[in-house]
Structure formats: structure tokens, C-alpha cells
Amino acid sequence: MLDKNGIAQRIAQEMQDGWYVNLGIGIPTLVANYIPQGISVEFQSENGVLGMGPFPFEGEEDPDLINAGKQTITTMPGASFFDSAMSFAMIRGQHVQMTVLGAMEVSENGDIANWKIPGRMVKGMGGAMDLVASAENIIVAMMHTNKKGESKLLPNCSLPLTGVGCVRKIVTNLAVMDVREGSFHLVERAPGVTVQEIVEATAGALVVPEDVPEMRL
Amino acid sequence: MINKVVADAREAVSGIKDDMTVMFGGFGLCGIAENCILAVRDSGVTGLTCISNNAGVDDFGLGFLLATRQVKKMISSYVGENDEFERQMLSGELDVELIPQGTLAERCRAAGAGIPAFFTPAGYGTEVGEGKEVRSFDGKPHILEHAFDAQFAFVKAWKGDEAGNLIFKGTARNFNPMMAMAGKITVAEVEELVPAGELDPAQIHTPGIFVQRIFQGKNYEKRIEQRTTRPRNP
């Protein structure tokens, strides 16, 4: 079974040389720590920066330089700044090749719910609805089940949606799955996890091929 | 050159009235019009509809206007980190409209660009799209969103000149340029106000035509919301 860092490490293997990548808050942020050797990617943050670098050294924080999580950051050589309209032009215009998001629920047809729980304080969707509505390559990073042990991979989302039919791939603590033709398709097992465990933790339709290899990290 | 300079924040916000719709630039606490927010508070206006990506924190930014109950409605994409905001929202004192961040930006840009409405895929099939006109382009459904209509826009830049030209620093740019375009009266506060001719025209982010009033702000706190650092290597 993977921890959050393991999920991030597996997702990082999906990145290709020359890609622009948008990472959401939470597990997705950790993906930046595992860029495979020999490839170059640039991270976009929707508040208006391309070429985001690591956190600054203590004492070098700049209040005018933050990411979409409002954290202080640095920039890499070749970085650029822009306004919010141009930032979402990059996103809606499909200039960003990969988007990684967290989710509360994903349905078997690729719907995603990750912004609102009825009855709880709603903070807002931020840029998530724009990202999921437009990006071609959306990968969800999440735990396979919630804190009550219930599956987060469902026939239909029960929570208010962020976007419809948009998720292409899911990486959880248990498995890698593709989402297509109205089903989850099991691609890889996490180390030490059996197909049976994955089947039991998946409430939506899951297509299991004969051979399900274990992930290589 | 048309001189846009006003003496101070108080003069810059003159004309603001109860129940107006006003825009505030910034993302979180980054690039917010600190001086204008205080001047709006001190003007005593109430019933404001505020268009701003976020709503500040309890004791800074737009939190100042929430604390004094001068805001009737917030139009934002994300409003966390503010207890008083949450209290007013849950008690029904404050009306909140949450919209996708890219739609928020584009509704500002459209307002300034003479585009009354546009179609976007963001929010289709969600509660954001409920009741809105849907049209498919190349087989993909989009929803109709309208340009904002705001009497005032309050923006913050790093440098500006007497003609109202603005240059922003880092990610403090965010919503400021589009809101500058959108406001019927746009007020720009800058950290450094210089005579016309000192800024390189090729480096201007917001041309002065979009700015009606400009002044040099003071006492910038530029508070950091999430101070994240990494250790130095030994």
C-alpha cells in the first residue's frame, strides 16, 4: 500500500519531457518532489506564475511571490508572471498538458466532486472547475476510501460535482486506474496489495484484466 | 499627458456610496489595495457588493470591511481562513456567491473589453451552471456567463506614474489588471509613484487609460498568509 508520497511518486511517472503541469493542493503538491531524472517540466500555478520553484530559504520569503495555496515560493530560470485572465486562458485553452487534483469522490464515468460538502462550511471551488472543465489529461490523486472506510470510487458521485466526465486516470494508495467507457479500468496494483482488496474497495464498475502488474516506484 | 494623481486614499475613494458594487484586486493577501480598503472602511459606506477572489482574513484585507458589516454580498471563488466571514455567512447576514476562478477573471476582463457575455465550459453540469443558457461548441457543452458591472475597482500595483500606467510585481498582479479594466472608476494605489516618462512604455502592464485615480500608498504591511520555507543545506 502507498502513502501520500508514494501516490505522488507514481503520478510523477506520468510526466513527460517538455510538459507544463498544474498541481492542486494536498497530495498533488508532493508530485513536484519526484520529477523523473532527465525530463524537464514547468509548474503552473493559477494565481499567475509559470516555472514555479521550491519554497524559499528562511528569510527570503517574498509576499509578492506566492502559489495558488497562498504559500511563499520561488521561481526557476525561465519563469514568467501573468494576470489571472491569462492564467485561465492557459488552462481553458489546453496549453497545460497535465493537471493533478485531489478528490472526495470520482464516479465511473469520470465525474469528480471535490469542492463542497452539504451542511459544512463551503469555502469555494477556486480554480478547480475551470481546470476540470478544460484539461485533457486530468489525474486524480486520492486515498481509495474515506475515513469511514467507504469507497471514493462510485457508480455516481453523491456530493455536488466539480465537473462531469473529465477524470482520465486515478492513482490511489491501492491502485492505478484509467477511467473510460463508463468504468474504472485497473492498470496497476500498489506494492503488497491484491486485486481482491482493490475490488472490495471499489464501489463503481471496475474492469479487471487478467494481468495486473505491481507498480514500480 | 492626463494627470491622474490624487492626494491620498481618502480622496481616491470619494464618490463611493451605499449599495454600490465594487471590485478589489488581489489573490489571498497578495497584491491587495491595503490603503483603499481602509479608506472605504473609514468612508462608512454600507451594503457593498464586493467582487474579489478572496475575502481576506479576520484582521486584515477585506476582513476589515466584514468586521464593520459594510459588506452585503461577496462574489468570490474561495473564501476560507476567515472566522467572522463564516459566522456572517452561516447566520445569513452576508450573501455569498461562489464562482469558478477563471470565470471570475474573465467576467472582469469581459467587462473592461466590451464583451457583454461569453460561453465557458467551467461549471457545466454543476450547480454553477444551473439556470444558465447552455450551448455546445464542437460537441462540448458550455454555459453563458455575463460581464460584471462595477462602479469602482480598487487595485494595487508596484510602480505607477502620473498618467496612471501600472507595473505589477511577481504574483501580486493576479486580478488587478482585469479589475482595472472593468471599473467605471478605477483607483490604483502604488508602492512607488513616479513622474510620467520614467517608466519604460514597453514594460507597462496596465495602460493608464484604464486608471482614473492614482496615489502612492503608505504603511504597506504586505502580510504573508502561508509562510513556507525550506532548510538551508549545511
Side-chain angles (χ1 to χ4, degrees):
Chain A
M1 198 185 301
L2 300 179
D3 62 6
K4 289 178 178 181
N5 282 299
I7 294 172
Q9 194 176 353
R10 176 61 190 82
I11 288 174
Q13 294 174 1
E14 300 292 318
M15 293 193 287
Q16 294 182 19
D17 192 38
W19 274 10
Y20 295 95
V21 177
N22 182 294
L23 302 177
I25 294 163
I27 301 174
T29 305
L30 301 171
V31 173
N33 298 334
Y34 299 100
I35 307 167
Q37 287 220 326
I39 77 160
S40 298
V41 295
E42 274 195 32
F43 293 109
Q44 197 246 22
S45 195
E46 62 267 24
N47 60 316
V49 55
L50 259 178
M52 192 173 21
F55 294 148
F57 292 123
E58 199 170 325
E60 294 179 3
E61 309 94 308
D62 179 355
D64 292 323
L65 184 48
I66 63 169
N67 63 18
K70 296 160 192 161
Q71 298 169 312
T72 46
I73 55 163
T74 58
T75 54
M76 303 295 283
S80 56
F81 298 121
F82 36 84
D83 65 51
S84 302
M86 188 175 286
S87 180
F88 283 93
M90 293 173 190
I91 289 164
R92 285 190 307 263
Q94 299 183 348
H95 306 279
V96 175
Q97 280 86 7
M98 179 170 149
T99 298
V100 186
L101 288 164
M104 300 170 190
E105 295 176 347
V106 179
S107 77
E108 61 196 26
N109 70 336
D111 295 352
I112 178 171
N114 72 352
W115 77 283
K116 181 174 183 179
I117 300 175
R120 285 221 221 139
M121 168 68 184
V122 181
K123 293 187 170 184
M125 67 292 281
M129 284 194 183
D130 310 271
L131 282 158
V132 301
S134 301
E136 287 283 299
N137 183 22
I138 296 174
I139 302 179
V140 164
M142 65 178 190
M143 305 307 277
H144 211 99
T145 53
N146 64 22
K147 282 175 185 155
K148 293 183 203 160
E150 299 161 343
S151 181
K152 295 169 73 172
L153 295 99
L154 304 170
N156 293 291
C157 293
S158 64
L159 296 169
L161 296 181
T162 309
V164 293
C166 51
V167 176
R168 296 281 167 269
K169 192 178 279 286
I170 305 167
V171 179
T172 72
N173 51 325
L174 303 183
V176 178
M177 287 145 295
D178 288 337
V179 186
R180 60 174 193 272
E181 295 145 10
S183 301
F184 303 114
H185 292 254
L186 186 55
V187 178
E188 292 174 14
R189 301 174 285 117
V193 175
T194 66
V195 168
Q196 188 58 29
E197 284 171 307
I198 297 164
V199 169
E200 283 169 11
T202 307
L206 178 68
V207 176
V208 182
E210 274 196 26
D211 180 38
V212 183
E214 190 170 289
M215 288 177 207
R216 290 174 177 222
L217 295 175
Chain B
M1 194 225 28
I2 305 169
N3 194 317
K4 309 284 179 70
V5 178
V6 296
D8 55 19
R10 191 175 154 189
E11 185 183 341
V13 305
S14 67
I16 192 167
K17 292 190 172 62
D18 292 351
D19 303 313
M20 276 187 168
T21 296
V22 298
M23 293 176 164
F24 290 94
F27 187 101
L29 302 178
C30 180
I32 60 172
E34 296 184 21
N35 286 249
C36 286
I37 290 169
L38 292 175
V40 169
R41 180 192 67 182
D42 295 343
S43 77
V45 292
T46 59
L48 296 176
T49 294
C50 293
I51 301 168
S52 171
N53 189 55
N54 313 94
V57 294
D58 274 314
D59 59 348
F60 199 60
L62 287 181
F64 285 130
L65 299 184
L66 292 162
T68 49
R69 316 268 178 94
Q70 287 169 279
V71 181
K72 177 179 67 183
K73 180 177 182 180
M74 282 297 313
I75 300 176
S76 306
S77 85
Y78 191 84
V79 293
E81 355 309 340
N82 192 325
D83 291 340
E84 176 60 14
F85 180 98
E86 185 170 343
R87 191 196 65 71
Q88 290 184 24
M89 179 175 159
L90 294 175
S91 70
E93 293 165 62
L94 178 69
D95 189 12
V96 179
E97 183 181 347
L98 294 169
I99 61 180
Q101 197 176 120
T103 299
L104 181 70
E106 197 65 12
R107 288 176 71 184
C108 294
R109 200 197 73 81
I115 305 289
F118 56 90
F119 283 97
T120 177
Y124 170 76
T126 76
E127 59 188 61
V128 166
E130 284 172 12
K132 290 176 182 164
E133 185 181 334
V134 176
R135 197 183 295 183
S136 287
F137 298 91
D138 293 330
K140 181 169 177 166
H142 294 68
I143 58 175
L144 186 68
E145 294 281 6
H146 290 81
F148 283 124
D149 184 10
Q151 282 93 345
F152 274 88
F154 300 104
V155 305
K156 150 80 182 6
W158 178 41
K159 289 183 182 179
D161 68 15
E162 296 164 325
N165 296 305
L166 304 177
I167 295 175
F168 303 92
K169 184 164 167 255
T171 55
R173 193 179 321 186
N174 56 62
F175 285 83
N176 284 300
M178 290 87 62
M179 289 185 173
M181 292 169 67
K184 293 209 172 48
I185 297 174
T186 290
V187 176
E189 58 173 87
V190 297
E191 289 179 56
E192 187 182 352
L193 182 63
V194 301
E198 281 203 11
L199 300 178
D200 178 355
Q203 302 302 322
I204 301 297
H205 295 136
T206 292
I209 191 170
F210 295 119
V211 174
Q212 280 66 50
R213 303 173 185 173
I214 189 168
F215 68 98
Q216 182 163 317
K218 55 185 181 185
N219 303 326
Y220 280 108
E221 180 179 335
K222 297 175 78 168
R223 193 184 293 186
I224 291 174
E225 209 165 335
Q226 303 281 345
R227 187 178 297 273
T228 45
T229 58
R230 69 189 143 129
R232 285 175 196 276
N233 289 328

